[in-house]
Every structure is written in structure tokens, then in C-alpha cells.
Amino acid sequence: MTDPVLSIRNLTVEIPTRHGVFKPVEHVTYDLHPGEIRGVVGESGAGKSMTGNAVIGLLDPPAHVSEGEVWLNSRRIDALDAEDKRRIRGKEIGMIFQDPLTSLNPLFTVGEQLVETIQLHLGLSASEAKKRAIALLDRVSIPDPAERFNQYPHQFSGGMRQRVVIALALCTEPSVLIADEPTTALDVSVQAQVLDLIKELAKERQVGVILVTHDMGVIADTTDTVTVMYSGHVVESGTTDQILGAPTHDYTKSLIAAVPRPHTKVERFPMVSYGDRVSTFKIDDLAAHWTKTDLSKSGKLVEVENITKTFLQKGAILPSHRQYFTAVDQVSFDIRDGEVFGLVGESGSGKSTVARMIGTLYPVDGGRVIFDGEDVTAMGADALQGYRRQIQMIFQDPFSSLNPRMKVGDLVAEPIHHHKILPKADIGPRVRELLDWVGLAKDAWRKYPHEFSGGQRQRICIARALATQPRFLICDEPTSALDVSIQAQILNILKDLQDHLGLTMLFISHDLPVVRQMCDRVGVMRQGKLVEVQETDKLFNAPQHPYTQELLDLMPRLKQLA
Amino acid sequence: MSRLQTILDSDQFYAFRRSPVAMVSAAVASLLILATVLAPLIAPTNPFDPSSLNLMNGFTPPMQPNAFTGESFLMGTDDQGRDVFSTILYGMRISLFVGVAAVLFAMVLGIILGLLSGYFGGWTETIIMRTADVQLTFPSILLAMLIFGIAKGVTPVEYRDQMAIWVLILAIGLSDWVQFARVVRGATLVEKNKDYVAAARIIGQSPLTIMLRHILPNVLSPVLVIATISLALAIIAEATLSFLGVGAPPTQPSLGTLIRIGQGFLFSGEWWILFFPACTLLALALSVNLLGDWLRDVLNPRLK
């Protein structure tokens, strides 16, 4: 085997705080060989990105490397002064960050930024540098590179921008590339192209790549070797097949077990407990309290007929000069009693807008929403209150969906207060029961939301959504902001609710394996239109619409998984 | 006890103990405020009681016995024989009262208008915010004088002195609401798009409940910062108006009135009548202002 191009030995990062020294990275050791793509996985806060930043000397003070060594091409670089580190950064180590929008300077053309970097590090003449830049743009598959050379970043789409960033990272022929969640902000179709490009370039130029990600699909499809991190430590390292297929450490096992499988449906996600992540969810007594389980008259709880939503894109005083953007275009579907109906699509496809129209957060511009035989769009204020009591919504971001200035008990009690469901004296006990049902500690009601983790906050959101005993639950990307092991817990809770209460749900997600696990039927949306509605199994096994086929092709295979 | 513990343990209090400027400002401001509250107990004389005044004590320099009566005064006396130290204590009462009341008035008005325009947008926002823009084109002191003049015109002569303080509060408050409204509107625009507001709307809560219960508590920290800085400015504005003779009447002298009275004697050698009230005003406004600046840095880490 060749010598490693980058070698991290026993690296420890310390951040002194007023509560003592905090070590986000502790004794991390791994090697990177030329042409190797090493995935670094772990939950948020596990120290994956911090390790990368420490290697290139980009730690924000007061964080500093307190121990360990970093070797680049047999040269020790962790002890260099700031000026030397700056020279290595960009020249010998290239970087790709998560958000392609902020990695490029919006005031300079793409060409200027490439030429500047090339000249700075390689000392070529302007015309040579330009030639090289255009060749690079061509290499990262930007069409018409000579013309694109003179355009500004805002004239590129998200995926194109990320390619420009890759070109920028490669223009000085670095021997190591650090890619920190390079595709997290991108849609699946674009993600696949960017990852393929990184894969090709690594092999072609013998560049070692560190790919930091939380997405096991990306790991399975792209990397050669994997390092698993948990709270600052490396818990396991090995080849991708070995880690995914035969993990040895308990944490890795629990992580792999929690990944939703795209091809087989499981009843519940297996919970391999590690650390303090034990679910205490008890559902049995919840059903006894549920009063609203009666079926709808027609067997269809929600019927959506040709709903349309347009947003004003460019305002003008004259109505004829106004420009509108159609976010949802004539969408129709129905949701049966006790069914979980999935809506999938890429960002901007209008799936959240549909959910918000059903939830009365947006007025409907055309068409009707019918709930249990009643037209919601024609309801008066009183009837609407009755409707709102029967529906609830769970949002994507558990950090913004809870009012930070209210105690958890008050948050959960709010819907009960508003709809006057219970006499005042009974509200406190009911709130504590609800919090207990979703697996939170007894005293949780006394705390504020910021004292809880993302997964716990999402449980609070579920408790609040259950407070009115709704018949219909709208889940808008309920787990996409969560780590994979937490995602499994939340999805299990939703499955339990569905089984025990017969709750009808609209489940919105961009993550196809999750949809496969959760939904009975699925609708696929693209650019505001519903292109296909099908039973989940049929959709995944025999997609009819070309767009659905394309989406399914891009889904990570995860065939190495145990 | 546990609440006190939480405060002592908070990051804000930690930042406070690490900042000498904040600690000194807080000490000076609290000392001055305490002196104001306890004025009747501390002040050697009551400057509003004509029977306690002795004209023979006029123009006594500080810390020196009077040539006729032999009495000595810490900060000297003015032309009427009033003890300058006592008039400062009582004057500061008026200055602080007017400042605090004017800021509270401006704050309440600004919060209401800011919440309304931020939450509803459209025409509500256009009308409120354009009014604010128009008002900003006038110097605020000019506006305050205008309001003061109008109010003086409509109140009967016999009530003028009594009403002067309230008119002052109204005038300063009305010229100050704009920045509260602007900040609250901006913060409301951010907060109203967060999912917790959507969650409240899905329950079916009314706009009023959502604004007061959900949005208001989350936009209050910038308001607190502005209120502190505005307090310093309102105290100065009051002093300016009183100095110009349109504020607190000589029978109820504020710090500004005292400075106006004192400046007449500066060139004839009785410097102390001007000097001490001016220093007090400086100390009061500066300490409150520095405290506000520090608060802004602590509550808005991005500014650092």
C-alpha cells in the first residue's frame, strides 16, 4: 500500500469555556491514501467537521489543537504558523463546504475567482490561468465553459455552483480534498451528479477525499473507507463494506440499524440502545383516552380537489403587470380513513404548500379541500374552529416550531386551552400524561424548549399535536432535521400512533426510504403538479411516470447494509 | 432563591461581571437613581418651600461659609439662596421621571404600531411606516417643541405649569416612537414566519393572541436595548427643551432648567450654579447610555 497522503494522529481539540474545558474532538486518528474517499459519519455535534477544520487550521478561537499531530505528504503541518497554514490551505488541501451559495463571492465572476486562486498559488500568467480555469470548468461538466467563465455565481443553479466550488478546490491540484456535507443542501438528482463527479476526480487525479456527512446513503454509494465518530471519539474505522455490513461497535450497530431500508418494509425500526438514547415510549393507555376515532361517512377523510396556489412574484400597481408563480397546480388526491398518505418531491415541488393549504395556513386560490364531507374552503369562522380541532401539524424544524419563551407544559396545554377541551383543573394532568406518552421525563413540563435536544423537541411537538385528539395529522418533513437514530425513534412513535389510534396522516418527505417505511400510498409531486399516485409497494416496484422512475434510480442502494 | 441563582448563573450576568464599563456605569446609575428616590431624606433643604429660603444666602460658593449668615453649602447656592445640591436632587427627580415616562410611552406606542405593521403587512404597514419615515425627516427636538407649543396654546393659563411636565412627556414620547416601531416590525417579520406561529395559527388562535402571546415576548430583547439607550436620549432631550425654556418651569426645575438658570451666572464668576447640574446630567446620561451599549452587545452576539 502507498504512503498515506494525510495522516491524523491522536488529534484533540479543546475549547476553554467558563464551565471548564470542552473537548469536541478527542484522540482522533485516521489515515487518507491517494485516491481514497474516506467518509466521516456521526451525529451532529460528534466532532466530524471540527476534525476537518483542525486539519486545515480553520478553528475559531478559542478552540485550539491541544494534542496530536497532522502529517501532510510526510510533513507535519499542525505546528506551522498561521502564514504557512494559509499557504497549504487552498494549495495542498482543497475545501468544499455545505452551502455553495456562500462559498463563492457574489461580486466576482466565476472566472475571476478561479484565475485569482490559480495565480495566487501556482504563479501562472493571466492567459495561462484563464486557459486552465476554462479547462477545469469543462472537467466539472459545466456546459459552455468559455461563456460561463464570465458569469456571476447567481447565474448558476445550486448544483452548478457546487461544481464551480469543486473546480475552485481542484484548481491548484491539491493532494487532499475536504468536503464537508457537500450535497446536504442539494436535491437528490443534483446530489447524485455532484457525488459522481467527486468520485471520478478522486480516482483520476489520485486526490484523497475526506467526505464528512450524516447521510448513510452517500456513504454507501461514494466512499471507500468509513470512520464513525461519536461525541468526539472515533468509535470504528474500516472499509465501507465492512462497516456497513458487519459493524462491530455498539454505536455503529445502532446507527446502521436505524437507517431506513429502501427495499423492504419493516414493522418498527430496531432500537439498539447506545448511550442515553433509550426510548421509553408507552402507548397503551393513550388509546383508552382517545375519543375521536369514529370513521368518516365516505371512507375518505380528506379529499383534495384541484387545489391551486399562486404566489405574487413581482408586484406592480397595475394588475396586468404583476407576475405570479404557480406553486401548486390543480392537485387532486384523497386520503382514506386511517391511512398514511405520502407526498414526495424535490424542494420547490409544492408539497409543503399543499400541506399548508390543507392546514388553513395558506388560503386556497382555486379548488376545494373536503374534510369528512365538508368543504373546508367554504367554512365560516365557527366551523373552521371545529375543523382545526380535528387536524394538527408537525413541522420540519423542531427548533423554530416551539415558542422559546414558553414552558413546555404551557406549549402543550395551549391547544387544549384554546379549544376548551378540558376543565382547567384537568389540563395539567393531561399535559403530563401526553409528555409521558411521547417518552419525556416527568418534570419536562416545567422546562423551556432550549433545554431539550432536537429529537426531544420533536417529541414535544408530537405531544402538542396530540393534545386536541385530532383525527388527521399533517407531518411536514418531521425527521429531516434530525440525526438518523433519532429519526428512527420519531418514526416509530408515529407508527405507534397510527396503529393504536387509527390516526390518518399526510406525510411529506423528500426521503424516499423513509416514505417507503411510513406510507400506505404515495403521491409524487414535480413543479407544482401531482404526477403519480400509487400504493407504496407498487410505486417502488413498478413506477409508471418517468419522473418517478428517475427519482427511484437516484435513491441510494445501501446494498452493503447488514 | 432558585430564580436568583438562575440570574447569577446566566451568561448575561457572567458578561456583566467581566465588563468594568458595565459595572461602573451600573454603579453610577444606581447611585444617582437611589439618590433621586431618597431625595427628601438626603437633601439638606427643600428647594420648593419658599419659607426655608434666605435671600441673604444667595451666591454662596461651595464649601465656604456665607459672609452674612455663616451657613455653608456643599455645592453652594444660587441667586435665590437655594441650596444647589438640593435642587439637583429634586431636579434629577423630574428629569428621570420625564425620561422614564416618555420612553415608556414611546415604547408602548412603538411596540403596538410595530407589531401591527409587521404582522399584517400591506396597507397597515404602508401607512404606519411611511408616517414614521415622514416623522424622521424632522429633527426630533423641533417636533417636541412643536407639540409643546400646540399643547401650551390649548391649555388654560392657570394649568400651564401643572401640565408642563405631562406635555413634556407627550412631546418627547411622540418624537421617539419611530425607532421602537421599526425594530419591532423587523423582528416581527422574522418571527411571524417561524413555525411556532404557524402552529398557533393551526390551532386557530386569533391574530391578537398570536401577537401578544407568541411574537411579543420574542421581540422584546432588542426593545430593551433601545429603551435603555432612548432613556439617556430622553433625559438629554428633556434637558435641552428645559434649557431652551420650553420644558419644566422654574417652579419645578429639572436639570435642564437648572443649567439654563446657571448659565446666566457663568461669566460673572458663580460657576458652581451651572457646573454641578451639568456634571450630574453628564453622569446620568453617560452611565445609562453605556449600560445600553453594553446590553446591546450582550443580547446581540453577532455585533461583536
Side-chain angles (χ1 to χ4, degrees), chain A residues 196-235:
Chain A
D196 282 347
L197 180 65
I198 291 178
K199 241 173 7 186
E200 280 171 38
L201 289 171
K203 298 291 168 280
E204 178 187 305
R205 303 185 174 216
Q206 287 296 298
V207 178
V209 180
I210 296 177
L211 184 69
V212 175
T213 182
H214 67 281
D215 187 336
M216 293 308 263
V218 170
I219 291 289
D221 277 1
T222 318
T223 61
D224 305 312
T225 52
V226 181
T227 295
V228 184
M229 289 188 70
Y230 180 77
S231 69
H233 294 266
V234 170
V235 294

mmCIF file of all heavy atoms in Angstrom, chain A residues 196-235:
data_model
loop_
_atom_site.group_PDB
_atom_site.id
_atom_site.type_symbol
_atom_site.label_atom_id
_atom_site.label_comp_id
_atom_site.label_asym_id
_atom_site.label_seq_id
_atom_site.Cartn_x
_atom_site.Cartn_y
_atom_site.Cartn_z
ATOM 1 N N ASP A 196 -20.938 11.756 -8.030
ATOM 2 C CA ASP A 196 -20.257 11.044 -9.118
ATOM 3 C C ASP A 196 -19.009 11.792 -9.552
ATOM 4 O O ASP A 196 -17.959 11.195 -9.796
ATOM 5 C CB ASP A 196 -21.204 10.868 -10.312
ATOM 6 C CG ASP A 196 -22.188 9.738 -10.069
ATOM 7 O OD1 ASP A 196 -21.963 8.962 -9.115
ATOM 8 O OD2 ASP A 196 -23.180 9.633 -10.817
ATOM 9 N N LEU A 197 -19.153 13.124 -9.642
ATOM 10 C CA LEU A 197 -18.020 13.944 -10.056
ATOM 11 C C LEU A 197 -16.870 13.819 -9.067
ATOM 12 O O LEU A 197 -15.712 13.623 -9.464
ATOM 13 C CB LEU A 197 -18.485 15.402 -10.164
ATOM 14 C CG LEU A 197 -17.424 16.410 -10.588
ATOM 15 C CD1 LEU A 197 -16.981 16.114 -12.002
ATOM 16 C CD2 LEU A 197 -17.979 17.819 -10.503
ATOM 17 N N ILE A 198 -17.201 13.885 -7.781
ATOM 18 C CA ILE A 198 -16.154 13.776 -6.766
ATOM 19 C C ILE A 198 -15.470 12.411 -6.876
ATOM 20 O O ILE A 198 -14.246 12.294 -6.811
ATOM 21 C CB ILE A 198 -16.742 13.984 -5.353
ATOM 22 C CG1 ILE A 198 -17.184 15.440 -5.184
ATOM 23 C CG2 ILE A 198 -15.729 13.621 -4.272
ATOM 24 C CD1 ILE A 198 -17.815 15.755 -3.846
ATOM 25 N N LYS A 199 -16.273 11.381 -7.095
ATOM 26 C CA LYS A 199 -15.730 10.024 -7.212
ATOM 27 C C LYS A 199 -14.757 9.924 -8.393
ATOM 28 O O LYS A 199 -13.640 9.424 -8.256
ATOM 29 C CB LYS A 199 -16.879 9.032 -7.405
ATOM 30 C CG LYS A 199 -16.921 8.040 -6.293
ATOM 31 C CD LYS A 199 -18.083 7.068 -6.226
ATOM 32 C CE LYS A 199 -19.121 6.925 -7.261
ATOM 33 N NZ LYS A 199 -20.197 6.018 -6.883
ATOM 34 N N GLU A 200 -15.201 10.438 -9.541
ATOM 35 C CA GLU A 200 -14.357 10.371 -10.741
ATOM 36 C C GLU A 200 -13.045 11.109 -10.532
ATOM 37 O O GLU A 200 -11.964 10.618 -10.861
ATOM 38 C CB GLU A 200 -15.070 11.054 -11.914
ATOM 39 C CG GLU A 200 -16.117 10.223 -12.606
ATOM 40 C CD GLU A 200 -16.890 11.085 -13.597
ATOM 41 O OE1 GLU A 200 -16.254 11.961 -14.253
ATOM 42 O OE2 GLU A 200 -18.097 10.912 -13.672
ATOM 43 N N LEU A 201 -13.166 12.325 -9.966
ATOM 44 C CA LEU A 201 -11.977 13.163 -9.828
ATOM 45 C C LEU A 201 -10.979 12.549 -8.851
ATOM 46 O O LEU A 201 -9.774 12.646 -9.047
ATOM 47 C CB LEU A 201 -12.374 14.566 -9.361
ATOM 48 C CG LEU A 201 -13.101 15.388 -10.429
ATOM 49 C CD1 LEU A 201 -13.657 16.661 -9.824
ATOM 50 C CD2 LEU A 201 -12.166 15.717 -11.576
ATOM 51 N N ALA A 202 -11.498 11.904 -7.809
ATOM 52 C CA ALA A 202 -10.603 11.301 -6.832
ATOM 53 C C ALA A 202 -9.757 10.224 -7.497
ATOM 54 O O ALA A 202 -8.543 10.144 -7.289
ATOM 55 C CB ALA A 202 -11.402 10.724 -5.674
ATOM 56 N N LYS A 203 -10.409 9.395 -8.321
ATOM 57 C CA LYS A 203 -9.681 8.320 -8.995
ATOM 58 C C LYS A 203 -8.739 8.889 -10.049
ATOM 59 O O LYS A 203 -7.579 8.496 -10.146
ATOM 60 C CB LYS A 203 -10.667 7.359 -9.656
ATOM 61 C CG LYS A 203 -11.593 6.660 -8.668
ATOM 62 C CD LYS A 203 -10.844 5.655 -7.788
ATOM 63 C CE LYS A 203 -11.676 5.174 -6.619
ATOM 64 N NZ LYS A 203 -11.733 6.092 -5.474
ATOM 65 N N GLU A 204 -9.257 9.845 -10.816
ATOM 66 C CA GLU A 204 -8.494 10.372 -11.957
ATOM 67 C C GLU A 204 -7.241 11.115 -11.504
ATOM 68 O O GLU A 204 -6.178 10.968 -12.080
ATOM 69 C CB GLU A 204 -9.432 11.306 -12.720
ATOM 70 C CG GLU A 204 -8.856 11.999 -13.912
ATOM 71 C CD GLU A 204 -9.873 13.015 -14.450
ATOM 72 O OE1 GLU A 204 -11.012 12.595 -14.735
ATOM 73 O OE2 GLU A 204 -9.536 14.196 -14.547
ATOM 74 N N ARG A 205 -7.383 11.930 -10.445
ATOM 75 C CA ARG A 205 -6.239 12.751 -10.048
ATOM 76 C C ARG A 205 -5.536 12.235 -8.807
ATOM 77 O O ARG A 205 -4.662 12.905 -8.266
ATOM 78 C CB ARG A 205 -6.710 14.179 -9.777
ATOM 79 C CG ARG A 205 -7.395 14.732 -10.994
ATOM 80 C CD ARG A 205 -7.772 16.171 -10.854
ATOM 81 N NE ARG A 205 -8.289 16.581 -12.158
ATOM 82 C CZ ARG A 205 -8.105 17.764 -12.694
ATOM 83 N NH1 ARG A 205 -7.431 18.672 -12.037
ATOM 84 N NH2 ARG A 205 -8.589 18.047 -13.875
ATOM 85 N N GLN A 206 -5.970 11.070 -8.339
ATOM 86 C CA GLN A 206 -5.361 10.484 -7.149
ATOM 87 C C GLN A 206 -5.375 11.457 -5.961
ATOM 88 O O GLN A 206 -4.386 11.657 -5.273
ATOM 89 C CB GLN A 206 -3.931 10.005 -7.443
ATOM 90 C CG GLN A 206 -3.900 8.741 -8.288
ATOM 91 C CD GLN A 206 -4.536 7.558 -7.559
ATOM 92 O OE1 GLN A 206 -4.069 7.135 -6.507
ATOM 93 N NE2 GLN A 206 -5.655 7.049 -8.087
ATOM 94 N N VAL A 207 -6.535 12.091 -5.780
ATOM 95 C CA VAL A 207 -6.719 13.002 -4.659
ATOM 96 C C VAL A 207 -7.361 12.219 -3.517
ATOM 97 O O VAL A 207 -8.269 11.428 -3.746
ATOM 98 C CB VAL A 207 -7.649 14.168 -5.059
ATOM 99 C CG1 VAL A 207 -7.895 15.092 -3.880
ATOM 100 C CG2 VAL A 207 -7.061 14.929 -6.218
ATOM 101 N N GLY A 208 -6.863 12.423 -2.317
ATOM 102 C CA GLY A 208 -7.523 11.826 -1.156
ATOM 103 C C GLY A 208 -8.680 12.716 -0.733
ATOM 104 O O GLY A 208 -8.518 13.929 -0.636
ATOM 105 N N VAL A 209 -9.849 12.138 -0.522
ATOM 106 C CA VAL A 209 -11.021 12.949 -0.178
ATOM 107 C C VAL A 209 -11.542 12.567 1.203
ATOM 108 O O VAL A 209 -11.729 11.384 1.489
ATOM 109 C CB VAL A 209 -12.155 12.766 -1.215
ATOM 110 C CG1 VAL A 209 -13.353 13.620 -0.847
ATOM 111 C CG2 VAL A 209 -11.664 13.115 -2.603
ATOM 112 N N ILE A 210 -11.744 13.568 2.056
ATOM 113 C CA ILE A 210 -12.454 13.333 3.312
ATOM 114 C C ILE A 210 -13.874 13.836 3.116
ATOM 115 O O ILE A 210 -14.092 15.017 2.840
ATOM 116 C CB ILE A 210 -11.793 14.082 4.483
ATOM 117 C CG1 ILE A 210 -10.393 13.541 4.724
ATOM 118 C CG2 ILE A 210 -12.641 13.940 5.747
ATOM 119 C CD1 ILE A 210 -9.655 14.275 5.826
ATOM 120 N N LEU A 211 -14.836 12.935 3.179
ATOM 121 C CA LEU A 211 -16.218 13.305 2.920
ATOM 122 C C LEU A 211 -16.990 13.248 4.233
ATOM 123 O O LEU A 211 -17.303 12.172 4.732
ATOM 124 C CB LEU A 211 -16.814 12.332 1.893
ATOM 125 C CG LEU A 211 -18.224 12.608 1.416
ATOM 126 C CD1 LEU A 211 -18.272 13.852 0.567
ATOM 127 C CD2 LEU A 211 -18.746 11.428 0.614
ATOM 128 N N VAL A 212 -17.259 14.435 4.785
ATOM 129 C CA VAL A 212 -18.000 14.491 6.050
ATOM 130 C C VAL A 212 -19.481 14.503 5.722
ATOM 131 O O VAL A 212 -19.932 15.325 4.924
ATOM 132 C CB VAL A 212 -17.624 15.774 6.823
ATOM 133 C CG1 VAL A 212 -18.473 15.898 8.072
ATOM 134 C CG2 VAL A 212 -16.152 15.774 7.168
ATOM 135 N N THR A 213 -20.247 13.597 6.309
ATOM 136 C CA THR A 213 -21.674 13.555 6.003
ATOM 137 C C THR A 213 -22.437 12.872 7.129
ATOM 138 O O THR A 213 -21.855 12.174 7.953
ATOM 139 C CB THR A 213 -21.942 12.827 4.672
ATOM 140 O OG1 THR A 213 -23.333 12.867 4.400
ATOM 141 C CG2 THR A 213 -21.490 11.381 4.736
ATOM 142 N N HIS A 214 -23.741 13.090 7.187
ATOM 143 C CA HIS A 214 -24.556 12.361 8.145
ATOM 144 C C HIS A 214 -25.429 11.351 7.411
ATOM 145 O O HIS A 214 -26.204 10.640 8.012
ATOM 146 C CB HIS A 214 -25.437 13.334 8.926
ATOM 147 C CG HIS A 214 -26.467 13.974 8.061
ATOM 148 N ND1 HIS A 214 -26.180 15.016 7.222
ATOM 149 C CD2 HIS A 214 -27.756 13.663 7.847
ATOM 150 C CE1 HIS A 214 -27.258 15.346 6.556
ATOM 151 N NE2 HIS A 214 -28.239 14.538 6.904
ATOM 152 N N ASP A 215 -25.285 11.317 6.065
ATOM 153 C CA ASP A 215 -26.204 10.552 5.235
ATOM 154 C C ASP A 215 -25.581 9.196 4.886
ATOM 155 O O ASP A 215 -24.604 9.117 4.148
ATOM 156 C CB ASP A 215 -26.494 11.371 3.970
ATOM 157 C CG ASP A 215 -27.574 10.737 3.122
ATOM 158 O OD1 ASP A 215 -27.764 9.513 3.230
ATOM 159 O OD2 ASP A 215 -28.213 11.470 2.352
ATOM 160 N N MET A 216 -26.167 8.115 5.397
ATOM 161 C CA MET A 216 -25.601 6.792 5.149
ATOM 162 C C MET A 216 -25.708 6.410 3.675
ATOM 163 O O MET A 216 -24.907 5.627 3.171
ATOM 164 C CB MET A 216 -26.319 5.739 6.008
ATOM 165 C CG MET A 216 -26.079 5.895 7.490
ATOM 166 S SD MET A 216 -24.352 6.010 7.910
ATOM 167 C CE MET A 216 -24.015 4.344 8.370
ATOM 168 N N GLY A 217 -26.683 6.960 2.977
ATOM 169 C CA GLY A 217 -26.819 6.682 1.555
ATOM 170 C C GLY A 217 -25.607 7.192 0.794
ATOM 171 O O GLY A 217 -25.057 6.514 -0.081
ATOM 172 N N VAL A 218 -25.165 8.399 1.131
ATOM 173 C CA VAL A 218 -23.990 8.993 0.499
ATOM 174 C C VAL A 218 -22.762 8.135 0.797
ATOM 175 O O VAL A 218 -21.948 7.835 -0.086
ATOM 176 C CB VAL A 218 -23.780 10.438 1.011
ATOM 177 C CG1 VAL A 218 -22.446 10.986 0.555
ATOM 178 C CG2 VAL A 218 -24.921 11.323 0.554
ATOM 179 N N ILE A 219 -22.653 7.696 2.045
ATOM 180 C CA ILE A 219 -21.523 6.854 2.445
ATOM 181 C C ILE A 219 -21.502 5.574 1.608
ATOM 182 O O ILE A 219 -20.489 5.212 1.014
ATOM 183 C CB ILE A 219 -21.659 6.482 3.947
ATOM 184 C CG1 ILE A 219 -21.458 7.711 4.820
ATOM 185 C CG2 ILE A 219 -20.685 5.384 4.325
ATOM 186 C CD1 ILE A 219 -20.069 8.232 4.882
ATOM 187 N N ALA A 220 -22.655 4.924 1.531
ATOM 188 C CA ALA A 220 -22.727 3.635 0.850
ATOM 189 C C ALA A 220 -22.370 3.763 -0.622
ATOM 190 O O ALA A 220 -21.695 2.902 -1.184
ATOM 191 C CB ALA A 220 -24.126 3.044 1.010
ATOM 192 N N ASP A 221 -22.807 4.841 -1.249
ATOM 193 C CA ASP A 221 -22.593 4.979 -2.688
ATOM 194 C C ASP A 221 -21.229 5.516 -3.072
ATOM 195 O O ASP A 221 -20.775 5.304 -4.181
ATOM 196 C CB ASP A 221 -23.669 5.920 -3.281
ATOM 197 C CG ASP A 221 -24.962 5.179 -3.556
ATOM 198 O OD1 ASP A 221 -24.995 3.973 -3.256
ATOM 199 O OD2 ASP A 221 -25.904 5.800 -4.055
ATOM 200 N N THR A 222 -20.592 6.259 -2.192
ATOM 201 C CA THR A 222 -19.446 7.037 -2.624
ATOM 202 C C THR A 222 -18.113 6.610 -2.028
ATOM 203 O O THR A 222 -17.094 6.678 -2.693
ATOM 204 C CB THR A 222 -19.676 8.529 -2.272
ATOM 205 O OG1 THR A 222 -21.010 8.859 -2.565
ATOM 206 C CG2 THR A 222 -18.757 9.426 -3.060
ATOM 207 N N THR A 223 -18.116 6.208 -0.755
ATOM 208 C CA THR A 223 -16.824 6.126 -0.065
ATOM 209 C C THR A 223 -16.175 4.750 -0.186
ATOM 210 O O THR A 223 -16.824 3.748 -0.474
ATOM 211 C CB THR A 223 -17.010 6.427 1.429
ATOM 212 O OG1 THR A 223 -17.888 5.447 1.980
ATOM 213 C CG2 THR A 223 -17.608 7.801 1.629
ATOM 214 N N ASP A 224 -14.852 4.745 0.022
ATOM 215 C CA ASP A 224 -14.097 3.500 0.069
ATOM 216 C C ASP A 224 -13.948 3.027 1.510
ATOM 217 O O ASP A 224 -14.023 1.857 1.810
ATOM 218 C CB ASP A 224 -12.693 3.704 -0.517
ATOM 219 C CG ASP A 224 -12.769 4.285 -1.910
ATOM 220 O OD1 ASP A 224 -13.544 3.759 -2.714
ATOM 221 O OD2 ASP A 224 -12.066 5.282 -2.174
ATOM 222 N N THR A 225 -13.662 4.006 2.394
ATOM 223 C CA THR A 225 -13.467 3.670 3.808
ATOM 224 C C THR A 225 -14.342 4.599 4.643
ATOM 225 O O THR A 225 -14.733 5.666 4.181
ATOM 226 C CB THR A 225 -12.003 3.862 4.238
ATOM 227 O OG1 THR A 225 -11.613 5.167 3.848
ATOM 228 C CG2 THR A 225 -11.103 2.838 3.595
ATOM 229 N N VAL A 226 -14.639 4.188 5.864
ATOM 230 C CA VAL A 226 -15.522 4.971 6.726
ATOM 231 C C VAL A 226 -14.920 5.087 8.120
ATOM 232 O O VAL A 226 -14.347 4.126 8.644
ATOM 233 C CB VAL A 226 -16.917 4.307 6.856
ATOM 234 C CG1 VAL A 226 -17.822 5.146 7.742
ATOM 235 C CG2 VAL A 226 -17.550 4.113 5.504
ATOM 236 N N THR A 227 -15.036 6.293 8.690
ATOM 237 C CA THR A 227 -14.687 6.489 10.089
ATOM 238 C C THR A 227 -15.963 6.932 10.798
ATOM 239 O O THR A 227 -16.610 7.884 10.368
ATOM 240 C CB THR A 227 -13.608 7.576 10.226
ATOM 241 O OG1 THR A 227 -12.423 7.100 9.607
ATOM 242 C CG2 THR A 227 -13.330 7.893 11.681
ATOM 243 N N VAL A 228 -16.332 6.233 11.860
ATOM 244 C CA VAL A 228 -17.554 6.571 12.583
ATOM 245 C C VAL A 228 -17.169 7.326 13.846
ATOM 246 O O VAL A 228 -16.326 6.854 14.617
ATOM 247 C CB VAL A 228 -18.355 5.304 12.956
ATOM 248 C CG1 VAL A 228 -19.666 5.685 13.618
ATOM 249 C CG2 VAL A 228 -18.596 4.450 11.728
ATOM 250 N N MET A 229 -17.762 8.487 14.036
ATOM 251 C CA MET A 229 -17.432 9.281 15.225
ATOM 252 C C MET A 229 -18.644 9.398 16.148
ATOM 253 O O MET A 229 -19.788 9.472 15.703
ATOM 254 C CB MET A 229 -16.953 10.680 14.831
ATOM 255 C CG MET A 229 -15.582 10.669 14.181
ATOM 256 S SD MET A 229 -14.922 12.317 13.934
ATOM 257 C CE MET A 229 -14.567 12.836 15.596
ATOM 258 N N TYR A 230 -18.367 9.401 17.437
ATOM 259 C CA TYR A 230 -19.427 9.609 18.425
ATOM 260 C C TYR A 230 -18.867 10.465 19.547
ATOM 261 O O TYR A 230 -17.841 10.104 20.136
ATOM 262 C CB TYR A 230 -19.935 8.265 18.955
ATOM 263 C CG TYR A 230 -21.028 8.408 19.975
ATOM 264 C CD1 TYR A 230 -22.325 8.705 19.575
ATOM 265 C CD2 TYR A 230 -20.761 8.280 21.326
ATOM 266 C CE1 TYR A 230 -23.328 8.860 20.500
ATOM 267 C CE2 TYR A 230 -21.758 8.438 22.260
ATOM 268 C CZ TYR A 230 -23.045 8.730 21.846
ATOM 269 O OH TYR A 230 -24.031 8.891 22.758
ATOM 270 N N SER A 231 -19.501 11.550 19.822
ATOM 271 C CA SER A 231 -19.102 12.551 20.823
ATOM 272 C C SER A 231 -17.590 12.762 20.918
ATOM 273 O O SER A 231 -16.983 12.607 21.965
ATOM 274 C CB SER A 231 -19.699 12.228 22.189
ATOM 275 O OG SER A 231 -19.118 11.090 22.734
ATOM 276 N N GLY A 232 -17.001 13.096 19.750
ATOM 277 C CA GLY A 232 -15.597 13.478 19.734
ATOM 278 C C GLY A 232 -14.619 12.340 19.560
ATOM 279 O O GLY A 232 -13.435 12.571 19.352
ATOM 280 N N HIS A 233 -15.083 11.103 19.654
ATOM 281 C CA HIS A 233 -14.189 9.957 19.536
ATOM 282 C C HIS A 233 -14.444 9.192 18.246
ATOM 283 O O HIS A 233 -15.566 9.155 17.759
ATOM 284 C CB HIS A 233 -14.407 8.987 20.699
ATOM 285 C CG HIS A 233 -14.032 9.556 22.017
ATOM 286 N ND1 HIS A 233 -12.795 9.367 22.569
ATOM 287 C CD2 HIS A 233 -14.707 10.321 22.879
ATOM 288 C CE1 HIS A 233 -12.736 9.990 23.730
ATOM 289 N NE2 HIS A 233 -13.891 10.590 23.938
ATOM 290 N N VAL A 234 -13.390 8.562 17.737
ATOM 291 C CA VAL A 234 -13.577 7.611 16.656
ATOM 292 C C VAL A 234 -13.981 6.294 17.294
ATOM 293 O O VAL A 234 -13.242 5.759 18.122
ATOM 294 C CB VAL A 234 -12.282 7.433 15.845
ATOM 295 C CG1 VAL A 234 -12.427 6.272 14.877
ATOM 296 C CG2 VAL A 234 -11.959 8.705 15.101
ATOM 297 N N VAL A 235 -15.193 5.784 16.949
ATOM 298 C CA VAL A 235 -15.587 4.523 17.563
ATOM 299 C C VAL A 235 -15.241 3.340 16.669
ATOM 300 O O VAL A 235 -15.055 2.230 17.139
ATOM 301 C CB VAL A 235 -17.082 4.489 17.930
ATOM 302 C CG1 VAL A 235 -17.387 5.490 19.014
ATOM 303 C CG2 VAL A 235 -17.963 4.708 16.732
#
